Amino acid sequence: MKYIDIHGHYAWNIDDGIPTKEDALKALNKAKNMGVVGIIATPHLVCGKHNGDDINRFTKRIDELAQLGKDNDIAVFRGAELFLNDEYMSQLKNKWVIPIEGTNTLLCEFDVRKKHHEDDEFEERLYEVRQAGYKVVIAHIERYFRGGMDIERVENLVDNGYIIQVNSTSFLGLHGKTIQENAYELLRHNLIHCIATDTHRADSERSPNFDRVYQLLKKEVSEDDLQILMYRNPIHILKNENVETTHYVKKGLFSQLMKRRKG
């Protein structure tokens, strides 16, 4: 299977991600060897901390990564992970953002350390991003609900046109049992549009891992749904197209229904 990783900190020495060019090359090759054909490089872009000079520095480094990728047969696209803290309005006003290459789409994150996000915090800030002219991919949404998943709230976000991304590491249990359960609950409610690695290292648990997650999730969902989550929807995002919705049916139930039809 082919994959496209829409969230990863592969661009070296500009945030808490990959530290060196050598490590970046190692991470790219690791990703390529498991079937990744493209990545969107998404360094952390912190509202109130990073300005226009930082944008130029980040995009230059991403372009250097793209050349490294080209030399090693893996496509690299521009992007960033915009941290929507209290300074977000100033960041939007100054247009100190890096949309996903060739689109008006921003990958946006909130503070995963918070125990509880105020009731309207997501909605108000995401609305302002949209009012500024951008589409939004919400990064690793499962990590914001440390007390358990609020499915109704995520359903409302999806109904309002936001794209939902979940980390592969959450399915693997890296962020704890609650976050893992959140990821599976979103999967079973067809509320995930993309699974991405959020790669930060060339080795360790936070390195490219689509192969492991594919083997894990193929026991749970159809091949078509995995294609949607790890390949087709990332392509739709890169082309500024509408994303697809998965069609989760518990595999045991699906098999029973097929047997009845054959009978």
Side-chain angles (χ1 to χ4, degrees):
M1 178 168 163
K2 293 188 293 187
Y3 311 99
I4 295 176
D5 192 358
I6 71 162
H7 180 180
H9 301 262
Y10 294 84
W12 66 94
N13 196 30
I14 53 176
D15 63 2
D16 64 344
I18 300 290
T20 68
K21 184 176 182 179
E22 291 73 23
D23 284 324
L25 178 59
K26 188 175 182 180
L28 288 176
N29 280 323
K30 184 174 184 178
K32 182 183 73 171
N33 290 338
M34 67 181 62
V36 178
V37 296
I39 67 164
I40 301 174
T42 56
H44 290 291
L45 186 55
V46 181
C47 296
K49 176 181 178 182
H50 295 128
N51 58 26
D53 291 337
D54 296 304
I55 299 295
N56 292 334
R57 179 167 58 91
F58 288 3
T59 53
K60 180 180 178 182
R61 177 52 50 83
I62 294 169
D63 290 347
E64 291 173 345
L65 179 71
Q67 184 59 55
L68 194 64
K70 184 178 180 181
D71 294 341
N72 290 274
D73 300 316
I74 183 169
V76 174
F77 306 95
R78 287 183 180 181
E81 185 179 15
L82 184 65
F83 182 40
L84 295 180
N85 59 20
D86 293 340
E87 305 297 323
Y88 75 104
M89 287 297 294
S90 175
Q91 199 83 9
L92 293 173
K93 181 179 179 181
N94 285 293
K95 297 186 177 180
W96 290 336
V97 297
I98 307 176
I100 291 173
E101 188 162 322
T103 74
N104 64 336
T105 302
L106 295 177
L107 177 70
C108 297
E109 71 165 335
F110 296 88
D111 192 344
V112 299
R113 298 166 297 181
K114 279 190 176 183
K115 290 185 178 180
H116 176 70
H117 288 269
E118 296 176 6
D119 287 347
D120 297 326
E121 182 179 18
F122 294 153
E123 291 77 6
E124 289 178 358
R125 296 184 185 190
L126 292 170
Y127 174 79
E128 293 296 344
V129 175
R130 190 164 62 184
Q131 287 298 104
Y134 302 103
K135 293 168 64 175
V136 177
V137 178
I138 305 175
H140 45 60
I141 197 167
E142 75 284 1
R143 296 183 66 192
Y144 308 131
F145 295 89
R146 295 172 61 185
M149 202 66 239
D150 186 340
I151 288 296
E152 184 176 355
R153 193 171 184 189
V154 179
E155 286 176 337
N156 288 333
L157 291 170
V158 170
D159 289 343
N160 280 284
Y162 300 110
I163 299 170
I164 305 299
Q165 179 257 306
V166 167
N167 280 5
S168 54
T169 48
S170 295
F171 287 106
L172 296 171
L174 179 62
H175 309 291
K177 186 173 179 59
T178 297
I179 304 306
Q180 185 179 42
E181 290 173 349
N182 288 349
Y184 274 101
E185 192 170 358
L186 290 167
L187 181 72
R188 290 164 183 152
H189 281 82
N190 296 303
L191 291 174
I192 305 175
H193 297 112
C194 295
I195 295 173
T197 69
D198 195 4
T199 285
H200 278 67
R201 293 290 182 269
D203 293 302
S204 83
E205 290 289 341
R206 301 197 74 182
S207 64
N209 55 23
F210 273 136
D211 52 350
R212 290 175 60 197
V213 175
Y214 173 80
Q215 292 300 323
L216 180 68
L217 294 184
K218 74 176 185 178
K219 304 171 186 176
E220 186 82 14
V221 299
S222 69
E223 175 74 19
D224 190 62
D225 276 355
L226 291 175
Q227 288 276 350
I228 289 172
L229 294 170
M230 298 180 179
Y231 184 69
R232 296 211 305 261
N233 274 344
I235 288 178
H236 291 316
I237 290 169
L238 284 166
K239 291 184 176 180
N240 229 12
E241 300 171 345
N242 292 330
V243 292
E244 302 176 52
T245 301
T246 56
H247 304 89
Y248 177 86
V249 177
K250 189 171 178 61
K251 277 210 165 182
L253 177 60
F254 180 77
S255 300
Q256 292 174 24
L257 290 173
M258 291 303 292
K259 287 179 181 177
R260 289 176 188 172
R261 287 184 181 181
K262 291 177 181 179

